[in-house]
Amino acid sequence: MNHTTPNANQNSPLGFKPDRRGARRAEVPVRRQNERLYGPCVAVVRGVDAAGEEFTESTVLQNVSAGGLYVNLQREVQLGAKLFVVFAFSPVALQNVPVPKVAVHGEVRRVDALDAKAHGVGIQFQHHRFL
């Protein structure tokens, strides 16, 4: 079965379509099972990094879906690492703000080196609960 992203721009000779930010990207097969929510959501990530050190890092989610999330971290983590994440469905801080929050335990399924220190990390949910 060959799925492609919906609403492709048929006028483009190279098969490009605008993404959510207006940039153009190549049309590729859809592998995601769930839609993504994009936008800054404040998050705190806890776990063990690639050097074996425990860490707690405040950051911002890049996207979230029913099955996982993608976040930027200032440290490297290994594929398969177990992480704990608490995030708010709001771009404001987690403290003393009445917004929906979610706590998740997940497994690292993707690591992208973004620069010398930053890494994009895809986490697949194993367990979650609303706080």
Side-chain angles (χ1 to χ4, degrees):
M1 182 180 296
N2 185 14
H3 296 285
T4 58
T5 51
N7 302 323
N9 182 352
Q10 299 301 321
N11 296 329
S12 173
L14 298 176
F16 284 85
K17 72 178 202 82
D19 72 8
R20 66 180 181 81
R21 295 183 188 103
R24 296 175 69 77
R25 61 183 174 166
E27 187 175 318
V28 295
V30 173
R31 296 186 306 168
R32 293 182 175 141
Q33 296 177 347
N34 302 302
E35 291 295 321
R36 300 275 190 263
L37 297 174
Y38 293 90
C41 294
V42 177
V44 175
V45 181
R46 281 195 330 226
V48 177
D49 66 17
E53 299 290 325
E54 290 184 11
F55 71 92
T56 299
E57 182 175 328
S58 295
T59 187
V60 176
L61 299 184
Q62 298 301 308
N63 65 60
V64 63
S65 74
L69 59 84
Y70 189 84
V71 64
N72 292 348
L73 295 176
Q74 294 301 310
R75 65 191 72 245
E76 184 178 0
V77 292
Q78 293 181 338
L79 288 174
K82 307 295 186 199
L83 298 179
F84 177 72
V85 182
V86 175
F87 65 93
F89 282 109
S90 172
V92 297
L94 287 172
Q95 296 85 11
N96 302 320
V97 178
V99 296
K101 297 175 188 137
V102 181
V104 301
H105 287 274
E107 181 177 337
V108 175
R109 305 294 287 177
R110 177 178 177 170
V111 178
D112 301 319
L114 302 176
D115 60 34
K117 284 192 144 195
H119 293 82
V121 179
I123 301 169
Q124 182 179 30
F125 296 158
Q126 293 178 321
H127 303 284
H128 70 279
R129 66 184 172 102
F130 287 88
L131 302 178

